[in-house]
Amino acid sequence: MQEFLNAISLLPDKYKNILSRINETQAKEIKEIRFRNGGAVTLNGKERMYYVTDGGIPTVTYCDNVLKTDEREMQEIVFMLSRRSLHTYQDMIAKGFIPLRGGCKAGVAGRAVIKNGSVYSVSSFNSVNIRISREFYGCSEDVLNEVGECTSYIIVGPPLSGKTTLLRDLCRHYSGKSTHKPFKTAIIDERDEIASRSFGYGLDVGEHTDVLTLYPKALGTEIAVRTLSPDIIVLDEIGGEDESKALLSGMNSGVGFIATAHGSTFEEVLRRPNIKTLVNAGVFKKAVVLEGRNAPCKVKETVSL
């Protein structure tokens, strides 16, 4: 329940008060809370989508008293999620997200302002999707059984398949204080959702883990290799050309990489030129493909590379 409360804690009082009435059993099933301009608030669970009434009752049936959001309220939601300072979070909003407490994240969509070919800022917000982060100690056991002694592998899975949750637990495994010989581990937490350190200690990612919060993955990787002497570097959602170059350089320094990538199959991910370059260069020794949202953190297949 605490993870759900973390996710709604910064919402305007109207939505926070209504959503906090949802009972604990139902709240534990919710993975996403979605707001759309002019539309109903929806809750995405493990197997189905719910509307929520203005009395805080989830329902699978659309009815007259479902909670809705208008244009003014959408702007207020983003303003509140930004801690009442849109300017402070402008760069992150331009990249489509706002980090929240406890590793939760709000995806944000609106009207883009383009400057020099890139998104400079966003206004007229029309969609917000809050993804609820949860801690599952021991959830990496399936992956660890598959990879064995290997500490350089890529985890492939579609959205909501547990990739980020797995990374946290893997960090706890490799760098935990109870480990006989812990690995020095560095997390490049570009979106502040692995360790959630923007607002204090955040989440448990292991005793011997260094966290580079909000660093671009390529730059963070270079800094970690130069200054932190990591055994393993952990990254979420790789795929950019700069990231590929940084990982290749890090591999030549003897660093192991554990990374994730969006995809339903390894073949699908391998179609991306930058990931194919990393695989061909031997950065990853194995690829672990996850089952999907109906079986988070569970392994579908493992490919030796």
Side-chain angles (χ1 to χ4, degrees), residues 68-286:
K68 298 179 182 178
T69 310
D70 62 26
E71 183 176 358
R72 179 190 62 79
E73 290 170 327
M74 283 300 309
Q75 313 317 305
E76 184 184 8
I77 287 170
V78 177
F79 178 67
M80 295 298 290
L81 293 179
S82 303
R83 285 84 174 167
R84 302 173 182 267
S85 179
L86 290 172
H87 175 75
T88 299
Y89 289 86
Q90 176 177 301
D91 290 346
M92 284 174 269
I93 292 172
K95 295 177 182 177
F97 75 99
I98 302 172
L100 306 178
R101 293 188 180 117
C104 299
K105 178 180 68 175
V108 180
R111 180 169 61 86
V113 177
I114 306 298
K115 186 176 182 179
N116 297 326
S118 300
V119 177
Y120 173 71
S121 65
V122 180
S123 62
S124 301
F125 304 106
N126 56 54
S127 184
V128 171
N129 181 39
I130 297 177
R131 295 186 63 174
I132 301 173
S133 172
R134 290 189 166 91
E135 293 271 58
F136 291 104
Y137 282 74
C139 68
S140 63
E141 183 178 351
D142 204 19
V143 170
L144 290 167
N145 287 337
E146 291 290 325
V147 300
E149 299 293 320
C150 177
T151 55
S152 289
Y153 50 92
I154 184 169
I155 300 171
V156 176
L160 301 178
S161 58
K163 296 188 296 298
T164 305
T165 304
L166 267 173
L167 289 183
R168 286 192 208 103
D169 201 55
L170 288 167
C171 288
R172 290 191 289 263
H173 168 78
Y174 288 116
S175 71
K177 56 188 174 184
S178 61
T179 305
H180 175 63
K181 187 178 179 181
F183 289 87
K184 292 178 293 181
T185 303
I187 298 174
I188 317 302
D189 204 357
E190 184 171 10
R191 292 174 176 259
D192 193 34
E193 57 185 330
I194 304 174
S196 191
R197 293 291 169 88
S198 286
F199 313 105
Y201 174 72
L203 301 172
D204 178 10
V205 289
E207 184 76 8
H208 304 281
T209 297
D210 301 302
V211 181
L212 289 82
T213 301
L214 300 179
Y215 285 69
K217 285 189 282 289
L219 177 60
T221 298
E222 292 172 5
I223 291 174
V225 170
R226 287 202 312 266
T227 66
L228 298 173
S229 65
D231 300 309
I232 300 171
I233 293 179
V234 173
L235 312 95
D236 212 357
E237 300 179 19
I238 65 165
E241 183 177 358
D242 289 346
E243 298 160 17
S244 177
K245 291 178 180 178
L247 265 65
L248 287 169
S249 177
M251 179 191 72
N252 294 327
S253 301
V255 179
F257 288 96
I258 300 173
T260 67
H262 281 311
S264 298
T265 65
F266 178 59
E267 290 74 18
E268 178 183 323
V269 168
L270 205 55
R271 295 190 196 110
R272 300 175 200 166
N274 294 318
I275 293 182
K276 186 173 183 178
T277 296
L278 294 174
V279 170
N280 289 343
V283 172
F284 304 115
K285 308 304 180 187
K286 293 188 178 184

